[in-house]
Amino acid sequence: MRGRWGVLQSESHPRTGFPEMVIFGLIQPIMFVVLFSYVFGGSMKIGGSTSPADYRNFLMAGIFAQTVTFATAGAGAGIADDMHKGLIDRFRSLPMARGAVLTGRTLADLVQTALTVLVLAIVALLVGWRVGSNADTNVGKVLAAFGLLLLCGYAFTWIGALIGLSVRTPEAATSGGLIWLFPVTFVSNAFVDSSKMTPWLRHIAEWNPFSATVQACRTLFGNPGVSRSDAWPMAHPVWASLLYSILVIAVFRTLAVRKYRSATA
């Protein structure tokens, strides 16, 4: 038993490339902040204003949300890599619940995502992002916004877990984890005002779970761009973001654990 546990410890030890993963995970959102802020900042009209500062404040909720959801690809690739190396088969021999392995993995990814969001918030402050100065904005609401972001990221990580368990290689998990994220994040209110979209596309964007989190963060941050809409998720974004995230976790955790059990049976 001691020999078996020693093998488990050596194989479950953090990969030597982990620092590089963290660094590269930080570079991408920082690039998005800088590129969108300075390339598009002067040409975007937010609430009738073309001020680059207003667009930066509008943009940051979208960048935060995009960052936590893009962690899905890394989670899927990590689980696929563990399956490919046989690490999951070794965990199966231990007396633990089948879902515990996936839960531990997704929570570890959540910690990395939280670190990324922290660094991104510092960079955002350096380029001029500020929370609203009105009386409705306070520290509690700002922390609640970051809590919704992390909950959304955790929910999407379970989608990545299901993808990682459904493919054969980490490369396929990375591709499969990214290909659906681009329409989800760009057909939304993350980078442009959804009220300016054509009607059919606007309806899709307004009912997009990703848009609900972005809208909730803008509301809690007190940032511009919180446009009025009859769509329920846009009218009640905080509740919509919370319900969407819980629903995604409930559905995809169930599917991922079921897939895990069948893959290790």
Side-chain angles (χ1 to χ4, degrees):
M1 180 64 184
R2 182 177 180 84
R4 179 186 295 273
W5 179 244
V7 173
L8 275 173
Q9 285 184 310
S10 64
E11 297 226 13
S12 61
H13 192 275
R15 288 184 284 272
T16 56
F18 182 75
E20 289 81 359
M21 291 171 58
V22 174
I23 292 172
F24 291 142
L26 293 173
I27 290 175
Q28 177 179 297
I30 291 173
M31 287 177 60
F32 271 109
V33 172
V34 175
L35 288 175
F36 275 84
S37 296
Y38 293 102
V39 175
F40 300 110
S43 59
M44 293 290 186
K45 182 179 290 187
I46 302 300
S49 171
T50 57
S51 168
D54 286 343
Y55 182 68
R56 277 196 295 271
N57 288 331
F58 169 86
L59 172 71
M60 281 314 306
I63 294 293
F64 283 134
Q66 184 193 52
T67 299
V68 299
T69 53
F70 269 47
T72 300
I79 290 176
D81 186 49
D82 291 341
M83 293 287 291
H84 182 70
K85 290 181 176 179
L87 179 60
I88 298 298
D89 291 332
R90 289 181 167 84
F91 279 131
R92 185 180 55 171
S93 65
L94 296 176
M96 64 171 66
R98 292 297 174 90
V101 175
L102 297 180
T103 300
R105 177 75 202 208
T106 54
L107 289 175
D109 290 327
L110 178 63
V111 173
Q112 182 177 338
T113 301
L115 174 62
T116 303
V117 170
L118 174 62
V119 175
L120 184 58
I122 295 172
V123 173
L125 291 171
L126 292 176
V127 300
W129 172 65
R130 297 293 183 270
V131 297
S133 58
N134 56 63
D136 293 334
T137 305
N138 52 51
V139 175
K141 288 188 175 182
V142 172
L143 293 178
F146 284 112
L148 285 176
L149 284 168
L150 293 178
L151 180 62
C152 177
Y154 181 69
F156 274 60
T157 299
W158 281 105
I159 302 177
L162 179 62
I163 293 173
L165 291 167
S166 302
V167 298
R168 296 183 179 180
T169 64
E171 293 78 9
T174 301
S175 300
L178 286 174
I179 194 170
W180 63 274
L181 280 172
F182 282 101
V184 167
T185 55
F186 282 94
V187 184
S188 72
N189 60 357
F191 308 112
V192 297
D193 186 353
S194 59
S195 65
K196 302 297 191 296
M197 297 179 180
T198 56
W200 67 270
L201 193 60
R202 183 179 70 246
H203 293 315
I204 295 175
E206 289 177 342
W207 285 90
N208 183 348
F210 181 81
S211 293
T213 298
V214 174
Q215 187 84 341
C217 289
R218 288 197 183 117
T219 301
L220 295 171
F221 286 148
N223 287 155
V226 184
S227 57
R228 294 182 179 274
S229 172
D230 294 332
W232 186 84
M234 297 296 99
H236 306 87
V238 175
W239 284 109
S241 176
L242 187 63
L243 291 174
Y244 273 137
S245 295
I246 293 174
L247 180 62
V248 170
I249 292 172
V251 171
F252 284 93
R253 187 185 187 280
T254 301
L255 294 175
V257 172
R258 184 178 300 172
K259 184 70 176 179
Y260 173 79
R261 287 173 176 168
S262 63
T264 58

